[in-house]
Amino acid sequence: MVAPRIIPNVPPPMLPDVTPQPPRVDARSVARGYQYSQSQPGEPVIESSEEPAPEDIHELDSIENDEAHSSSLGSDPNAPPRFNRPPNRASTIHSQEFLTPEVMAIMLSLEAPYQSLYYPLTRMMRQWRLIRSVKRSGYFDMSLIPPGGLVVCCPSCPRPEINLPEDWELDPMARLLYASMLAVDGNFHLSRNNKGPGSHSDRPFTGDWGFWAIQSEFDAYQAAVKGLKVNEKDVPKCHNFKAGDPTRSGGGTGTVVGGSVLVSCSRHIFIQPNGVTDLQKGEKFVEVDPAVASVVRAQHPGQRQVHSYDVACKYGIHFQKRTTMDFEGGPLIKPEQFPKDIQFLVPAWHILGHVDECLTRYHFRYTPLVGRTAGEGVETIWSTLNGYQYSTREMGHGHRRDTLTDAMNHFNWTKTRKEARRLYYAYFDAVSEYQRKENALQEIEEDLPPEYLARLKSESATRGPEQFLSTTIQAPSKTQILCAIRDAEDAEAQRTHVAGSHSEAMFISNAIDLADLQYQVCVKQQEVEPNPGGDGQRRAFLLMEERLRNRVGEHFETLLRVCPKLQEADLIRGQPPTTQTRYLPSDFTPGDRAKYKLEKVAEKEAQIQVAEAHDALRRLRNALGLKGLLLQNKKQHVRGYENTSKAKTSVLNAEKGIRRQAEAYRRAWFALNRLEVPLGPETAAGDLRVLLDDDIVPLRDFSDERRYLGASEGIPWIWRLFSVDGAEREAEEGVIGTVNSWNNEVVRLAWLHAQATRDRWWEETRLLKEELRRVGASFSYREAEWSSVAEASQVDKEKETRVTCGVKAYAFRQAAVYRYLASDAHWRYDDATKPYKPKSFPQVFEGRAK
């Protein structure tokens, strides 16, 4: 038998070797550094290491006043005192820091050894936390505390008989307004080393009253499923995620707790009662189920429940089977308690790491009646709780849970105080954002022909969530792309050949082609000048320049035949061929056009320039599509330096074609402006606009081959503009047909995403307004609870004790706190809903909500 360790009854070596005496404390030095000195032989004195300033005499009083001021309820004179409780620093500092000079002096006067007082001090801290939590919960009889009774609950979540109307189940919008939206997430920072006597000896003082799931249920469920074998075929693979895979495990050595998993409300980020469990090794569903089941049981079975989890695509498949399984301790959820309407989704950021099937089925943005819920807010809880990881991982089982329970309660209370204000401003932001998305959708729909838009709406109503993915289109090969470019060049050469007819329309068409040839010669000249030694390029440039000079001469001969009055005008014909003015009606002022009888020719030029503008836009879109195909081919198939150089040359040639078509459109647009042709969505010319460089971008905004995640308002107008002939045109084949198919597909996706975004923001406005109402109702309910406690503590004066007086005073104070919170929330709700109601909401959701 090992003899007990004998500790000598002497002062610790860190303290001065003196006889213990009652200390003399200098109050002015409390806020400064401390050191021991001898003012008289044998008498320990606490004094400042610096010379105290005269104003330090009031330093303690000022600190107390500052704390009282920081804990008051803002600038409202009617606010109850010490409403804003200061943060609980006891959870973040080490116990030895409680050893102030006063405590140390008391220890010196005791007969007990100094080292034996540390563990009683930590135990006293845990007891103090428990007593404080019980007092704040209002359960002064601890035998009446239910599971999760010490938790500060979310005031915004829907809770029947507390903040919901009596007939809430009959509301046609109940699936949207009264749905419980919850989030599940695991964290491996809050681990615990193998310290202390273990969970059987060191039990938490809070028991099942706090955030952890009921321990008896957890242990019974673990024992029931321990011997069950899992068929790997029943484990769906979505990018082989490690979470939830029972065949894989993780965790470091020397740890008995590898992390924690918690359940919070996904919209308001409040940790739920009995919604936390500890993970042993890895993130197995068998350890997640008790926390989720505890929270599911707390909801009304008739409420719609939406759960978000990083691996919801796997977790939700057999959730009902696992939680309703009958074992020795009974099922986690009784069949009659299981919700009638439950849905599992993946948070908005994590969904991008899943496969396409998950993207359509589990994306918040594609799911109706969820608002703008993202499901990622649970991550912000870990940013706060992870600050406790270094202290709690060295604690025992019960001490760690008591400390984290206190920290979680403080986290919930901090959000409770600010919840009404947060929802108030979020509602106005949602209303303005909804109006902006509504305008963006209308802008897209105005650019689409009515027949095409009607077809999109009918297809969207009949298709499921898979419609948000792009239809797979087979991309052409590089050879097909190059052949298409060559055929386009041959057709362009044939189109620009001078015709023998001298009609006004043919003259204007040839003049437009002459301007395009002038642009090509200018570009060729810029390529040749930096490289004068290239004989082949120089020869080709000279031939092109000679052809341009001949075309200019033929143009002026035809000009004088079509417009004989121009012989009286002083036309300048000696300009360089690349800058020679063509003297079309658009080059003259309205007065000169009347003087030289050019009105009829100007009308024909306007019609031809409108067609040229739309053709240039179509050729520009095709050129951008060809560039996108070349880049895709280069990325997927081209390897090696030589092949890469050739691919880059092909891309550069495609960029030249893009710049050429953009310049052709700009010439046509400026000609229409000089001819004063009306432009706009309601005009015959169409909604032609100024073409900016930012508009000339390829419409291949896919995160991969089949996903479209671009913002609807970011699509350039050139892709939303159909020709004046409408969307119906002859189907094209080959590469151009593929480009057009891609372009039409992205236009469809743009409209579809714009509509879904508009719908989610409309739902968000309805949800925020309802949540703001529920906050006020929850605070009023808590006020009534505390008022009833205060009334119940009323006793005869002869029977009054310090305890009954304290209970009554504290209950009145808590009632005043919630009365103030309720009045503030009610005022914000009235102010938000009456004068700032959105002008119109879509009616389509009335049917969906049913």
Side-chain angles (χ1 to χ4, degrees):
M1 182 175 180
V2 180
R5 180 183 177 187
I6 301 177
I7 302 176
N9 190 13
V10 296
M14 68 182 71
L15 299 179
D17 187 11
V18 295
T19 303
Q21 298 288 338
R24 180 166 60 88
V25 180
D26 184 5
R28 294 173 297 177
S29 62
V30 172
R32 296 179 176 272
Y34 300 105
Q35 68 177 12
Y36 282 92
S37 66
Q38 297 282 340
S39 62
Q40 293 181 3
E43 181 180 7
V45 179
I46 306 172
E47 65 178 12
S48 172
S49 60
E50 302 177 5
E51 187 68 18
E55 60 273 9
D56 288 346
I57 195 68
H58 304 293
E59 188 161 325
L60 284 178
D61 294 336
S62 64
I63 293 175
E64 294 179 356
N65 293 335
D66 289 343
E67 291 182 355
H69 181 267
S70 63
S71 62
S72 63
L73 190 61
S75 58
D76 189 350
N78 299 323
R82 297 190 61 78
F83 165 70
N84 288 325
R85 291 193 288 255
N88 176 23
R89 301 184 180 88
S91 300
T92 58
I93 62 178
H94 198 273
S95 302
Q96 288 183 347
E97 298 186 32
F98 282 92
L99 300 179
T100 61
E102 297 92 333
V103 176
M104 296 171 67
I106 295 175
M107 289 181 177
L108 293 176
S109 63
L110 299 177
E111 296 181 359
Y114 163 72
Q115 286 87 346
S116 64
L117 296 178
Y118 172 72
Y119 294 105
L121 177 63
T122 59
R123 193 171 186 85
M124 178 271 297
M125 290 169 52
R126 295 172 59 186
Q127 294 171 345
W128 170 69
R129 289 197 188 105
L130 175 64
I131 295 173
R132 185 185 58 178
S133 298
V134 171
K135 180 190 69 171
R136 291 175 176 174
S137 67
Y139 292 100
F140 296 101
D141 186 354
M142 298 180 66
S143 63
L144 302 178
I145 302 178
L150 302 185
V151 173
V152 178
C153 295
C154 175
S156 303
C157 287
R159 291 186 288 170
E161 300 181 0
I162 295 180
N163 56 16
L164 294 187
E166 296 181 358
D167 58 345
W168 64 270
E169 294 183 86
L170 303 178
D171 193 329
M173 298 295 292
R175 296 189 68 243
L176 169 66
L177 301 180
Y178 310 131
S180 294
M181 301 189 187
L182 305 168
V184 186
D185 194 42
N187 178 30
F188 294 96
H189 288 280
L190 294 179
S191 59
R192 185 176 74 84
N193 295 336
N194 193 7
K195 298 290 185 73
S199 58
H200 297 286
S201 301
D202 182 15
R203 295 184 180 275
F205 289 168
T206 53
D208 300 329
W209 301 336
F211 291 92
W212 263 259
I214 299 176
Q215 190 64 37
S216 59
E217 288 185 358
F218 182 84
D219 296 337
Y221 185 67
Q222 302 297 307
V225 300
K226 185 175 182 180
L228 298 179
K229 293 184 179 180
V230 179
N231 189 353
E232 294 190 7
K233 295 182 180 179
D234 295 337
V235 182
K237 302 296 182 182
C238 178
H239 282 310
N240 204 23
F241 287 125
K242 190 174 182 180
D245 191 345
T247 63
R248 306 172 66 184
S249 63
T253 58
T255 61
V256 293
V257 175
S260 298
V261 62
L262 63 78
V263 183
S264 71
C265 48
S266 56
R267 289 188 56 82
H268 323 114
I269 326 299
F270 279 75
I271 308 173
Q272 297 296 304
N274 300 124
V276 182
T277 56
D278 288 332
L279 303 173
Q280 304 304 317
K281 287 189 176 181
E283 191 173 344
K284 298 184 176 66
F285 292 162
V286 68
E287 297 165 337
V288 180
D289 286 341
V292 179
S294 299
V295 179
V296 170
R297 287 199 311 265
Q299 315 301 317
H300 193 280
Q303 284 182 274
R304 173 174 174 250
Q305 295 189 25
V306 180
H307 294 254
S308 68
Y309 191 15
D310 300 348
V311 288
C313 55
K314 298 194 296 183
Y315 182 75
I317 296 177
H318 301 296
F319 175 75
Q320 183 175 1
K321 178 181 177 181
R322 295 193 308 268
T323 54
T324 56
M325 176 185 63
D326 195 6
F327 54 91
E328 184 177 355
L332 292 178
I333 304 176
K334 297 180 180 179
E336 61 272 14
Q337 292 179 328
F338 198 85
K340 302 176 182 177
D341 187 358
I342 187 170
Q343 191 173 12
F344 289 89
L345 301 176
V346 179
W349 185 80
H350 287 80
I351 190 64
L352 301 181
H354 289 245
V355 296
D356 291 336
E357 289 73 13
C358 296
L359 185 71
T360 57
R361 294 180 58 188
Y362 302 104
H363 203 311
F364 272 98
R365 298 294 179 262
Y366 304 155
T367 304
L369 305 178
V370 295
R372 289 288 297 178
T373 308
E376 298 288 355
V378 65
E379 305 290 346
T380 62
I381 300 176
W382 300 126
S383 64
T384 300
L385 296 183
N386 285 346
Y388 299 87
Q389 60 177 319
Y390 298 109
S391 57
T392 56
R393 70 182 180 186
E394 303 297 335
M395 296 179 179
H397 172 76
H399 193 183
R400 170 179 173 272
R401 288 198 175 183
D402 288 340
T403 301
L404 290 177
T405 296
D406 198 51
M408 292 176 184
N409 247 343
H410 173 67
F411 178 87
N412 281 7
W413 173 249
T414 303
K415 295 182 68 65
T416 299
R417 293 165 22 222
K418 305 174 183 177
E419 184 66 5
R421 182 174 181 269
R422 182 189 70 83
L423 294 173
Y424 177 73
Y425 289 108
Y427 175 76
F428 290 123
D429 293 341
V431 170
S432 62
E433 193 67 21
Y434 162 74
Q435 296 293 352
R436 195 167 70 88
K437 298 302 181 181
E438 176 71 19
N439 296 335
L441 178 62
Q442 291 179 359
E443 183 180 354
I444 293 178
E445 292 182 347
E446 289 174 356
D447 294 333
L448 302 179
E451 299 81 6
Y452 184 72
L453 180 60
R455 188 168 72 245
L456 287 179
K457 290 183 177 180
S458 62
E459 292 177 356
S460 175
T462 57
R463 296 180 62 182
E466 71 280 355
Q467 63 182 317
F468 290 95
L469 288 180
S470 168
T471 303
T472 303
I473 300 174
Q474 184 64 34
S477 63
K478 180 182 178 182
T479 303
Q480 292 175 319
I481 297 173
L482 296 180
C483 290
I485 296 175
R486 185 190 59 192
D487 294 343
E489 292 175 350
D490 295 342
E492 186 70 17
Q494 184 177 0
R495 185 177 66 87
T496 56
H497 183 70
V498 180
S501 174
H502 293 161
S503 65
E504 296 176 349
M506 186 60 65
F507 162 72
I508 295 173
S509 177
N510 292 336
I512 293 174
D513 295 339
L514 176 61
D516 182 64
L517 182 60
Q518 289 177 319
Y519 171 81
Q520 294 184 63
V521 173
C522 289
V523 172
K524 194 68 175 179
Q525 184 178 6
Q526 294 175 1
E527 295 176 356
V528 171
E529 287 180 352
N531 185 23
D535 295 338
Q537 289 188 357
R538 185 71 178 176
R539 189 180 304 108
F541 167 71
L542 293 176
L543 291 175
M544 185 179 294
E545 189 179 30
E546 181 65 23
R547 184 158 63 96
L548 173 61
R549 191 175 290 106
N550 295 335
R551 289 286 302 276
V552 170
E554 295 172 357
H555 169 75
F556 274 96
E557 292 178 4
T558 308
L559 173 64
L560 297 179
R561 293 193 189 100
V562 173
C563 306
K565 275 286 187 179
L566 290 179
Q567 296 178 2
E568 304 174 3
D570 187 12
L571 304 181
I572 302 175
R573 302 182 56 177
Q575 299 174 349
T578 55
T579 58
Q580 176 64 56
T581 305
R582 295 166 297 156
Y583 295 108
L584 292 175
S586 57
D587 294 325
F588 295 90
T589 63
D592 291 339
R593 286 198 290 269
K595 177 180 179 181
Y596 299 119
K597 309 295 183 181
L598 301 177
E599 291 88 349
K600 294 183 179 181
V601 181
E603 293 177 0
K604 295 181 180 180
E605 182 189 1
Q607 298 175 4
I608 296 175
Q609 292 287 10
V610 168
E612 172 65 16
H614 285 284
D615 287 346
L617 282 179
R618 180 177 56 82
R619 295 193 299 267
L620 176 60
R621 290 193 292 264
N622 293 339
L624 288 170
L626 289 173
K627 178 185 175 182
L629 294 177
L630 289 172
L631 289 174
Q632 183 182 10
N633 179 78
K634 175 177 173 293
K635 180 180 179 180
Q636 295 180 354
H637 305 295
V638 176
R639 299 294 183 270
Y641 176 78
E642 182 178 357
N643 294 332
T644 302
S645 300
K646 292 180 180 179
K648 288 182 179 179
T649 303
S650 300
V651 173
L652 292 176
N653 291 334
E655 291 179 351
K656 293 179 184 177
I658 293 172
R659 292 192 293 269
R660 176 184 174 186
Q661 303 306 329
E663 186 65 24
Y665 172 80
R666 287 172 175 142
R667 288 195 302 268
W669 189 85
F670 284 117
L672 291 174
N673 273 268
R674 288 192 294 265
L675 292 173
E676 300 178 351
V677 176
L679 302 176
E682 306 297 332
T683 62
D687 191 15
L688 300 176
R689 313 177 191 178
V690 178
L691 182 63
L692 305 177
D693 292 339
D694 294 338
D695 299 327
I696 310 173
V697 292
L699 194 54
R700 297 287 294 131
D701 196 2
F702 288 81
S703 60
D704 55 32
E705 293 181 358
R706 300 188 64 215
R707 299 187 184 186
Y708 174 80
L709 300 174
S712 59
E713 60 269 22
I715 298 178
W717 64 271
I718 64 172
W719 299 103
R720 304 198 306 263
L721 186 65
F722 282 75
S723 65
V724 293
D725 297 332
E728 302 294 338
R729 59 169 55 244
E730 295 182 2
E732 300 187 38
E733 299 178 355
V735 178
I736 302 303
T738 302
V739 173
N740 290 336
S741 299
W742 255 324
N743 296 342
N744 294 335
E745 182 66 11
V746 176
V747 170
R748 182 188 70 84
L749 290 172
W751 173 82
L752 194 63
H753 283 74
Q755 179 181 249
T757 303
R758 188 278 311 268
D759 294 347
R760 298 295 86 78
W761 277 110
W762 177 83
E763 297 166 358
E764 185 71 9
T765 58
R766 297 294 300 268
L767 277 173
L768 289 171
K769 185 169 65 172
E770 169 62 20
E771 288 167 348
L772 189 56
R773 185 201 63 80
R774 289 202 296 257
V775 169
S778 298
F779 290 152
S780 298
Y781 182 84
R782 289 293 290 165
E783 176 199 352
E785 281 188 330
W786 279 108
S787 298
S788 63
V789 171
E791 293 175 1
S793 60
Q794 298 280 2
V795 296
D796 297 336
K797 192 171 184 180
E798 296 80 9
K799 298 181 180 180
E800 277 190 352
T801 63
R802 297 181 62 186
V803 175
T804 58
C805 292
V807 170
K808 180 172 62 175
Y810 185 76
F812 276 126
R813 196 192 79 165
Q814 291 295 93
V817 167
Y818 283 103
R819 187 181 306 113
Y820 177 82
L821 286 173
S823 63
D824 178 68
H826 290 316
W827 176 87
R828 293 182 185 276
Y829 174 75
D830 294 338
D831 184 66
T833 55
K834 289 182 179 179
Y836 301 105
K837 185 181 296 184
K839 296 181 180 179
S840 61
F841 288 125
Q843 301 297 326
V844 66
F845 289 94
E846 300 297 336
R848 291 187 182 180
K850 297 178 183 178

